[in-house]
Amino acid sequence: MKAVIFALRSFPRELRSAEVIVLLISVALAVAALTAVGFLTDRIGRAVARQANEILAADLRLRTPDPIPVEWHEMAAAYGLDSAETQTFPSVVFAGNLSSLATIKGVSEGYPLRGDVRVSDSLFGEQRIAEGIPDAGSVWADGALMARLDVSVGDTISVGESELRIAAVLRYRPDQSIGFASLAPSLLIGTQDLPSTGLVTVGSRVRYALLVAGEESAVSEFYETVEPTLPDSVRSRNREEGSDRANNAADRAQRFLSLTAVISLLLSAVAIAMSARRFAHRRMDTVALMKSLGASQRFVITAASVQLVLLGFLGVIVGSILGFVVEQIVTEMLADVLQGDLPPVGISPVLLASGSALILLVGFAMPSLIQLRNTPPLRVLRHDEMPPPPSRLVVAGTSLIAVAAMLYQAIGDGLMLLIVLGGMLVVSATLYGAGRVLVAMMGRSRGGAGIAWRYGLANVARRGRDSTVQVVAFGLGLTVLLLLTFVRTDLLEGWQQTLDENAPNNFLINIQPQERASIAEIIQNGGVAAPTFVPMVRARMQTINGEDVKTREYPDEDGKWMANREQNLTWAEHLSASNEVVKGDWWPAGYDGEPLVSLEENAALELGVDLGDRLQFLVAGQEIALTVSSFRKINWDSFQPNFFMVLSPGALDGYPSTFVASLKIGDDKKDVLLKLVRKHPTVSIIDIETILEQVKSIIDKASLAVQAVFVFTLAAGIAVLFAAVQSTIDERRFESALLRALGVRRRTVLSGVLTEFAALGFAAGLLASAGASILAAIVAIQLFELEYTFNIWLWAAGLVGGISLVCASGFVAARGAINAPPMDVLRAA
């Protein structure tokens, strides 16, 4: 109890010391960074996920061959969810003497629940967002369908037994497929008009779907309730199973934000460790005096622990307030960009950040308190008498366990944790070893220079171990700052370059072999480069290694769905630029052996097949057996025609095929598409410009969020530099006073100190540049699946930033020591 009272009474005085201020700032920054980043990760992550859900036009879709029970709508309403319904089926549509097969999509009020339907008033005219669904008696028709029927907006077409007016050209709907699964152009009609068409009757081949959207937790609860009652014929789908392109962008957004949180936390940890070291060292004389007067080790450790806890709680309060304020400011900044689609905040980021910061404080400060407890009373008489240092294994183990547990709890990404934390360990060890060598080299190179230079380098060499520790601290701070800077620039630019200006924005499907030359001529005459035509054959899988696909067991439910659906097969002699073989071998040029097939890696995993397995397909009534030769990784962001299954040349010779192509059409070249669809009305044109905009929007959101929280990382990095300088401030104060007492001018002393910091900053910057470059390459390739490009500016920033930042923080921290009156310092010593 006496120890607690003593700690409480002395705590206000302790708050005036520099190392305690740095400790408080470090804890506050850790809490503020984790709180703000947690809020942003949570809210923007959910906003990104909500936008990714546009691929389904809902948060959850239940598709079934049977009509949707009314109970499902009622259950969704009971959970506070919005619901809508779609009915999709093929039918022939007539206009005068002309007819065309179309995919009729009936939609109810509220469709789409996520995303927007886009229409225009003429073929390839200016798009606008549609309001609601088609009015009674009217439809929205795909441009290809209108071209085949030779009709315009305002004309009437026959759909079953009804005559319906075309009110607009259907340009885009959120749940439209760009995977070539539906070759017939779409016709959007309100479900109120479906009965009058007479097309939906008993036995009609209709795909029904219930669309549900609302709060994430409510959607999950609804699905958990309804899922046990669903027939086997119902297929559920949510964002996690949605668009690969949108999901890739959403996952990268989450990882960008999580990486920012990890880096801020690591910097705060380094600053806390350095400040705690000085916190213990500065109190050794006081503890020695207390022990000489009869204080027990328990009294000493209790008093220090109470003050540490008080410091932690104060830091948590300050950091939580700061994090919340900054998060609100950032939210306002992003509100216009996000168009107000940020969900409300939750309390979990505050709780997680506060708990993590306290664990961080204990994990990195406790080893120093252990050393403080063992301070010998003899230090009252001999200031060079030091307590035995704690076991390095204890120090490293406690710190690593604490930070690893927090980081995993904070981000839940084991791969990122392994890369960043493992990389920091390797960088720290390298910094320590290289720092010792550089310190020794600087000590031998100080001769023959001016007094300030000799004094600065002599300090570096004389404080060998302390100088090395400072190089490690400076280097770690600079490494993570450089790494985050790389994330904000090169990685974001690299990500955006995956959607370069030449990315295709239109797909052409259902191209007949004899139409390729004419289509290429039309496109080239319009000033656009002719596309590459990719063959496609429709097929159904029958067996896998002799087992019927309908009765076979699969590792994943999606594998059963994939095996039993109609497949799009292609063949190719050379590997596409957007594909990479990850297992097995691609067939050699000129291959004419047995039919082989290359599978997309995730499809192979879901199907449960391996290299050498045999797949049998039914193509146009004939059977064909294929041997699996390789697995591929596909870059879906390329927006090129890609297939789950690619066959070897000659495997599909003689089978009926169509072709698909992708091309980039600018707004000033839209007349090319109009000429193409009029001359080749059976060719379907799919506009994916809106999907490209969706993915780019997600990238922009992630970029803004990462840049917004960069201020925390920068502040934490400065705290690291300041803490490293503070670790030797007492020695500098005494040395400066002694030199000035001997007649050395203050300017000379200051020049010597800045020389010392410049040397340390150069060493730290050089090593940090190397470490950041290596980590950046690993992060780019392993975490973000982007190509790494060496950046010389990162090295320049490391050297210049190392020298300037270390000198600036050293000047601010050491200025008081140099300006202190020599007599006061020497008397106190």
Side-chain angles (χ1 to χ4, degrees):
M1 189 62 185
K2 291 182 179 179
V4 174
I5 295 174
F6 173 79
L8 293 175
R9 286 179 176 176
S10 58
F11 184 67
R13 184 176 68 252
E14 299 290 353
L15 286 176
R16 293 195 292 267
S17 59
E19 69 278 1
V20 173
I21 293 176
V22 174
L23 261 177
L24 178 62
I25 291 174
S26 301
V27 174
L29 282 174
V31 174
L34 283 178
T35 301
V37 171
F39 278 140
L40 290 170
T41 301
D42 182 46
R43 300 181 73 189
I44 295 181
R46 283 188 283 162
V48 166
R50 182 178 294 176
Q51 186 171 6
N53 286 349
E54 291 182 13
I55 198 68
L56 302 176
D59 295 332
L60 174 68
R61 183 179 70 191
L62 300 178
R63 194 166 62 188
T64 173
D66 303 311
I68 303 296
V70 177
E71 292 78 10
W72 291 5
H73 286 282
E74 294 175 347
M75 190 180 301
Y79 282 96
L81 302 173
D82 296 325
S83 65
E85 186 175 328
T86 66
Q87 301 176 30
T88 308
F89 56 92
S91 180
V92 177
V93 178
F94 296 88
N97 296 325
L98 299 177
S99 64
S100 174
L101 179 67
T103 298
I104 310 295
K105 191 173 188 70
V107 296
S108 66
E109 287 290 344
Y111 172 90
L113 300 180
R114 293 283 182 249
D116 299 301
V117 174
R118 296 179 182 239
V119 297
S120 62
D121 296 324
S122 62
L123 284 175
F124 306 110
E126 184 176 351
Q127 296 185 25
R128 57 182 171 82
I129 295 176
E131 297 182 1
I133 62 174
D135 295 331
S138 65
V139 295
W140 298 338
D142 186 286
L145 178 62
M146 296 173 63
R148 295 177 188 182
L149 298 176
D150 193 23
V151 292
S152 302
V153 173
D155 291 345
T156 300
I157 59 176
S158 299
V159 182
E161 299 174 1
S162 297
E163 296 291 323
L164 302 173
R165 184 180 64 86
I166 300 176
V169 181
L170 178 62
R171 301 295 299 277
Y172 169 80
R173 54 183 174 84
D175 52 349
Q176 74 180 27
S177 171
I178 61 170
F180 322 125
S182 178
L183 300 182
S186 297
L187 183 73
L188 206 65
I189 180 175
T191 51
Q192 73 273 9
D193 283 328
L194 283 180
S196 62
T197 65
L199 297 175
V200 181
T201 60
V202 177
S204 297
R205 188 180 175 183
V206 181
R207 289 179 299 171
Y208 297 87
L210 173 70
L211 307 182
V212 174
E215 290 296 327
E216 182 179 355
S217 58
V219 173
S220 299
E221 292 175 3
F222 165 77
Y223 181 69
E224 290 174 1
T225 302
V226 75
E227 195 270 338
T229 67
L230 297 178
D232 293 337
S233 59
V234 176
R235 174 170 172 78
S236 62
R237 202 173 187 198
N238 57 20
R239 198 243 350 153
E240 298 300 327
E241 304 164 326
S243 164
D244 288 318
R245 300 164 182 85
N247 284 350
N248 286 344
D251 290 341
R252 284 176 179 170
Q254 295 282 18
R255 283 195 161 178
F256 271 121
L257 293 171
S258 296
L259 182 62
T260 307
V262 170
I263 289 176
S264 300
L265 194 66
L266 282 176
L267 282 172
S268 297
V270 175
I272 288 174
M274 295 295 297
S275 300
R277 182 169 174 262
R278 173 166 164 75
F279 177 85
H281 183 77
R282 282 289 302 271
R283 278 145 189 79
M284 285 181 183
D285 290 341
T286 303
V287 170
L289 181 60
M290 292 168 62
K291 282 190 172 183
S292 66
L293 296 176
S296 63
Q297 285 189 349
R298 181 179 180 182
F299 181 91
V300 171
I301 196 68
T302 301
S305 299
V306 169
Q307 291 184 348
L308 195 66
V309 171
L310 289 174
L311 190 64
F313 278 113
L314 185 59
V316 164
I317 294 172
V318 174
S320 297
I321 295 174
L322 179 62
F324 182 77
V325 170
V326 172
E327 188 275 337
Q328 290 296 311
I329 295 174
V330 173
T331 298
E332 290 297 325
M333 291 169 53
L334 299 180
D336 292 338
V337 178
L338 298 176
Q339 298 178 348
D341 60 350
L342 281 175
V345 299
I347 193 63
S348 57
V350 176
L351 299 178
L352 177 62
S354 301
S356 298
L358 291 177
I359 296 174
L360 188 73
L361 184 62
V362 173
F364 281 87
M366 190 57 68
S368 296
L369 292 184
I370 294 174
Q371 186 180 23
L372 184 64
R373 181 192 64 179
N374 296 325
T375 302
L378 186 60
R379 184 176 171 84
V380 174
L381 301 176
R382 294 183 56 184
H383 288 287
D384 59 344
E385 189 70 23
M386 295 291 292
S391 168
R392 292 184 179 180
L393 183 61
V394 173
V395 175
T398 304
S399 303
L400 285 177
I401 291 173
V403 75
M406 281 181 304
L407 290 177
Y408 187 77
Q409 180 65 28
I411 64 175
D413 192 330
L415 178 60
M416 177 181 292
L417 179 60
L418 179 64
I419 290 176
V420 176
L421 191 56
M424 289 296 102
L425 287 175
V426 173
V427 169
S428 299
T430 305
L431 283 169
Y432 186 82
R436 294 298 293 264
V437 174
L438 289 174
V439 167
M441 292 175 59
M442 289 177 186
R444 288 195 295 268
S445 64
R446 67 178 184 270
I451 183 173
W453 181 261
R454 292 200 304 272
Y455 170 61
L457 294 185
N459 280 344
V460 173
R462 183 166 50 80
R463 296 191 182 98
R465 183 175 178 277
D466 286 337
S467 295
T468 303
V469 171
Q470 287 183 319
V471 169
V472 174
F474 291 146
L476 280 177
L478 291 170
T479 296
V480 292
L481 282 175
L482 289 172
L483 179 62
L484 186 60
T485 301
F486 176 82
V487 170
R488 293 173 62 246
T489 53
D490 290 24
L491 275 182
L492 289 175
E493 290 176 5
W495 186 9
Q496 290 166 341
Q497 287 172 2
T498 63
L499 299 174
D500 59 26
E501 295 181 355
N502 295 320
N505 58 2
N506 284 272
F507 277 115
L508 309 180
I509 63 176
N510 199 31
I511 302 171
Q512 300 302 314
Q514 67 274 13
E515 293 180 303
R516 286 178 291 172
S518 174
I519 291 174
E521 182 181 0
I522 293 173
I523 293 174
Q524 287 179 315
N525 290 340
V528 180
T532 300
F533 296 96
V534 181
M536 185 178 73
V537 172
R538 306 284 282 180
R540 279 200 175 274
M541 191 182 300
Q542 288 187 304
T543 64
I544 298 177
N545 292 329
E547 294 184 68
D548 192 314
V549 295
K550 295 181 179 179
T551 58
R552 184 175 184 269
E553 293 185 1
Y554 298 89
D556 190 282
E557 186 64 25
D558 284 344
K560 181 178 180 180
W561 173 78
M562 175 171 288
N564 286 276
R565 75 184 179 97
E566 196 169 17
Q567 303 286 341
N568 295 316
L569 306 182
T570 188
W571 68 90
E573 181 174 358
H574 303 289
L575 184 67
S576 169
S578 58
N579 288 234
E580 176 188 358
V581 174
V582 294
K583 188 176 182 181
D585 299 302
W586 188 260
W587 37 84
Y591 178 82
D592 60 354
E594 66 169 326
L596 303 176
V597 60
S598 175
L599 270 66
E600 192 269 340
E601 57 178 346
N602 289 327
L605 186 65
E606 293 171 355
L607 289 170
V609 301
D610 205 345
L611 298 181
D613 286 353
R614 300 278 291 178
L615 309 181
Q616 183 168 302
F617 288 87
L618 186 66
V619 183
Q622 301 182 44
E623 295 181 349
I624 178 173
L626 308 168
T627 301
V628 179
S629 65
S630 64
F631 298 151
R632 291 167 294 112
K633 182 178 183 178
I634 298 177
N635 176 21
W636 297 107
D637 288 341
S638 66
F639 283 85
Q640 299 292 337
N642 283 303
F643 294 79
F644 287 107
M645 300 182 188
V646 179
L647 278 61
S648 57
L652 294 174
D653 285 353
Y655 291 97
S657 63
T658 59
F659 289 81
V660 299
S662 62
L663 67 160
K664 171 71 174 180
I665 298 289
D667 292 337
D668 57 334
K669 305 287 186 180
K670 291 295 185 181
D671 58 321
V672 174
L673 296 178
L674 191 58
K675 294 177 182 177
L676 190 153
V677 76
R678 284 176 175 169
K679 187 168 184 180
H680 298 278
T682 59
V683 174
S684 294
I685 301 176
I686 300 177
D687 187 349
I688 62 169
E689 185 69 38
T690 303
I691 298 176
L692 280 169
E693 292 176 359
Q694 177 195 42
V695 177
K696 289 178 180 178
S697 175
I698 294 174
I699 294 175
D700 291 339
K701 292 177 184 180
S703 174
L704 283 172
V706 170
Q707 295 184 62
V709 298
F710 178 72
V711 65
F712 288 114
T713 307
L714 183 62
I718 293 174
V720 168
L721 302 180
F722 196 84
V725 173
Q726 284 290 323
S727 64
T728 57
I729 198 67
D730 290 333
E731 295 178 35
R732 300 182 191 282
R733 184 179 289 109
F734 181 78
E735 290 170 0
S736 299
L738 186 60
L739 288 172
R740 291 183 62 192
L742 294 175
V744 180
R745 291 183 300 174
R746 191 181 69 87
R747 175 183 294 181
T748 303
V749 176
L750 181 59
S751 298
V753 170
L754 291 179
T755 299
E756 176 185 356
F757 286 127
L760 293 174
F762 174 80
L766 180 65
L767 298 173
S769 299
S773 296
I774 296 173
L775 278 176
I778 297 174
V779 167
I781 296 171
Q782 295 296 325
L783 293 184
F784 299 104
E785 300 179 356
L786 297 172
E787 182 179 351
Y788 172 72
T789 303
F790 176 77
N791 189 347
I792 188 63
W793 292 109
L794 186 145
W795 284 76
L799 293 175
V800 174
I803 295 173
S804 59
L805 284 176
V806 173
C807 283
S809 58
F811 172 77
V812 173
R815 182 179 57 179
I818 297 172
N819 292 334
M823 188 61 66
D824 294 346
V825 176
L826 295 176
R827 280 177 177 173

